[in-house]
Amino acid sequence: MICSFKRMGKMKCITMACLLIFTLVVMNIHHVHGDINVTVTFLASAISKGAVCLDGSAPAYSYVEGFGTGSHSWIVYLVGGGWCNHISDCRARSSSRLGSSHLMASQTTFSGILDFDCASNPDFCNWHKVFIYYCDGSSFMSDIEHSHAKNLTFRGARIFNVMMEEMLAKGMRNARNAILTGTSAGGLATILHCDKFRKLFSDEIRVKCISDSGFFIHAKGHHGYKSREQFFGDVITTHKLAKSLPSTCTSKRKSSLCFFPEYLVEDIQTPLFVLESAFDRFQLTSLVLGGVTNCTNNLKSCSSTELGIMRDFRRTFIKTLARRIHNSPNRGLFVHSCYLHDHVLKSDEWTCLTVANRTMRQAVADWYFDRSSFREIDTKSDSPKNCTNSFCE
């Protein structure tokens, strides 16, 4: 535990350090390279409620209790991992950690926004922290039975519900501050569940959502838009999500478009912060270039055509965000130009990646606590940047 005596005072730092040591012992947590590993809980009681992974196994989470000034503040994090868009794809997924808790690790690394180091994560270090594993392939949205999908269960929505019940019972019902966040498919789930999460709390509680790398765009007319629409349409069909998606979207357009945040975000009432790269690596390689590319991990291997498509995507992406993220203090925006995907659990990116002279951590915290608004996009680079993970050096 690292404290700033100047910032917090000697006795307060000592108290917080002691509380953390107590928490580490009780929760069976171990430090590894400055991060913290937390034991996974497999929620067997959820099975009787039908809240299970694709293979029927129990859902899982990791949790650490908050302390001190964070005793009544909660962060709930939703893991990402793509989607399955056909029964055969879901069956294959059920034999992986993304579809079965039997194949998940026994511990979870807490870092970035979940970090307990009050020097690098001063605003959220002592909050209650929940890490919810993803094993349904539908961004926690499905709740159906497939008569022709033997030994597969599609119960992502139930998993979300029982996890919220579990956390409310642990004390989240007494929260004064709460954040729902997630990355990639979990970032999309954050957008989809944001208002639902807000309804768990009374009106006077500060509740906000942070979507990390989850703003997948349709970008009609842009390279590959038909395949993106087909892919998400197949996800919706396979998991029978049409009736589960917000009616504010499905009443205006076909349901195959209502997995795209650009059509969802305008109807979300809860404050929402969007963290993105204008050159999101997963979105570009998997949903724009269709997975057939030489530059998945190295920009130096990209062809001039691929780089041109990326620059065109950036222009479309920025226009979409400008149109959909309204000029309101309820909306936050942090968009950089690094060729990366996912941020909030990566300590260097969370602590030191900068846009408009503010780090990601500072931008999110200032927005969350209403200290200032933040809607900034890196406009200096119109080409993707090969950034290292050593942002703090």
Side-chain angles (χ1 to χ4, degrees):
M1 179 74 170
I2 301 174
C3 292
S4 169
F5 284 1
K6 183 178 180 180
R7 178 184 176 91
M8 303 177 64
K10 182 175 180 179
M11 290 307 297
K12 191 172 182 179
C13 276
I14 292 173
T15 300
M16 290 179 68
C18 291
L19 282 167
L20 178 58
I21 291 171
F22 173 78
T23 304
L24 296 180
V25 172
V26 172
M27 296 300 297
N28 189 26
I29 304 171
H30 309 282
H31 283 279
V32 179
H33 305 304
D35 295 328
I36 294 176
N37 283 357
V38 183
T39 300
V40 174
T41 296
F42 299 93
L43 193 59
S45 61
I47 296 176
S48 63
K49 300 176 182 180
V52 292
C53 300
L54 283 167
D55 72 335
S57 59
Y61 70 91
S62 290
Y63 164 72
V64 173
E65 186 175 358
F67 57 90
T69 57
S71 295
H72 296 285
S73 299
W74 288 71
I75 295 176
V76 177
Y77 176 83
L78 305 177
V79 182
W83 312 266
C84 53
N85 63 327
H86 293 292
I87 296 298
S88 58
D89 187 24
C90 293
R91 192 172 302 284
R93 191 182 182 93
S94 71
S95 299
S96 75
R97 62 179 179 79
L98 291 172
S100 172
S101 63
H102 295 315
L103 301 172
M104 293 176 185
S106 61
Q107 292 188 324
T108 307
T109 300
F110 277 32
S111 55
I113 196 173
L114 302 183
D115 200 334
F116 291 88
D117 184 345
C118 289
S120 60
N121 191 34
D123 293 286
F124 308 112
C125 60
N126 59 350
W127 286 32
H128 297 265
K129 300 183 176 79
V130 187
F131 182 108
I132 299 177
Y133 278 89
Y134 178 44
C135 62
D136 63 272
S138 70
S139 285
F140 297 93
M141 288 295 290
S142 55
D143 191 6
I144 58 162
E145 291 186 9
H146 267 296
S147 59
H148 58 288
K150 187 177 180 180
N151 298 325
L152 285 181
T153 50
F154 298 81
R155 300 296 192 185
R158 294 195 189 190
I159 292 174
F160 183 86
N161 290 341
V162 299
M163 288 298 177
M164 295 306 104
E165 292 170 2
E166 178 84 352
M167 296 312 131
L168 289 170
K170 284 182 177 294
M172 194 171 73
R173 66 178 73 254
N174 300 315
R176 296 171 190 163
N177 297 290
I179 291 174
L180 178 67
T181 185
T183 296
S184 194
L188 174 57
T190 296
I191 294 172
L192 288 163
H193 288 284
C194 185
D195 283 346
K196 183 177 181 179
F197 182 73
R198 207 276 165 256
K199 290 177 182 177
L200 298 174
F201 307 92
S202 57
D203 292 343
E204 68 272 15
I205 306 305
R206 182 189 281 117
V207 182
K208 299 186 180 184
C209 302
I210 304 166
S211 174
D212 170 22
S213 305
F215 204 95
F216 302 98
I217 64 171
H218 180 218
K220 185 176 180 179
H222 182 270
H223 185 85
Y225 82 94
K226 290 184 179 179
S227 62
R228 287 191 292 281
E229 183 178 334
Q230 180 66 53
F231 177 81
F232 278 137
D234 288 342
V235 172
I236 291 168
T237 299
T238 297
H239 295 269
K240 298 184 179 180
L241 300 182
K243 293 183 179 179
S244 301
L245 292 167
S247 60
T248 51
C249 180
T250 56
S251 63
K252 300 174 187 175
R253 54 187 63 87
K254 54 186 179 181
S255 61
S256 61
L257 297 178
C258 289
F259 230 47
F260 291 106
E262 67 185 272
Y263 303 121
L264 299 169
V265 70
E266 62 186 7
D267 294 314
I268 294 173
Q269 302 300 307
T270 308
L272 173 69
F273 198 107
V274 173
L275 294 171
E276 285 288 344
S277 168
F279 299 99
D280 183 277
R281 186 167 60 194
F282 172 79
Q283 193 161 179
L284 281 169
T285 57
S286 298
L287 300 177
V288 177
L289 297 173
V292 183
T293 174
N294 294 319
C295 52
T296 300
N297 296 310
N298 189 351
L299 287 171
K300 293 181 180 179
S301 301
C302 297
S303 68
S304 59
T305 299
E306 289 170 327
L307 290 172
I309 291 172
M310 290 181 178
R311 286 190 288 269
D312 185 36
F313 173 84
R314 171 187 176 273
R315 288 190 291 270
T316 304
F317 188 62
I318 290 175
K319 287 179 181 178
T320 301
L321 288 173
R323 186 170 68 252
R324 302 298 184 181
I325 303 294
H326 303 300
N327 187 24
S328 163
N330 280 349
R331 296 289 184 256
L333 190 61
F334 184 106
V335 181
H336 61 88
S337 298
C338 293
Y339 191 50
L340 297 171
H341 179 71
D342 72 75
H343 310 93
V344 296
L345 294 193
K346 295 181 177 177
S347 293
D348 275 4
E349 292 177 30
W350 173 246
T351 305
C352 299
L353 181 55
T354 301
V355 171
N357 297 317
R358 219 178 304 185
T359 66
M360 185 179 296
R361 178 193 63 76
Q362 291 169 335
V364 169
D366 287 348
W367 169 83
Y368 178 79
F369 289 106
D370 302 311
R371 297 191 288 246
S372 66
S373 61
F374 194 89
R375 288 179 298 280
E376 298 289 344
I377 298 172
D378 175 19
T379 58
K380 296 179 181 179
S381 179
D382 65 354
S383 295
K385 296 191 293 187
N386 256 330
C387 301
T388 69
N389 289 324
S390 301
F391 294 100
C392 299
E393 293 181 358

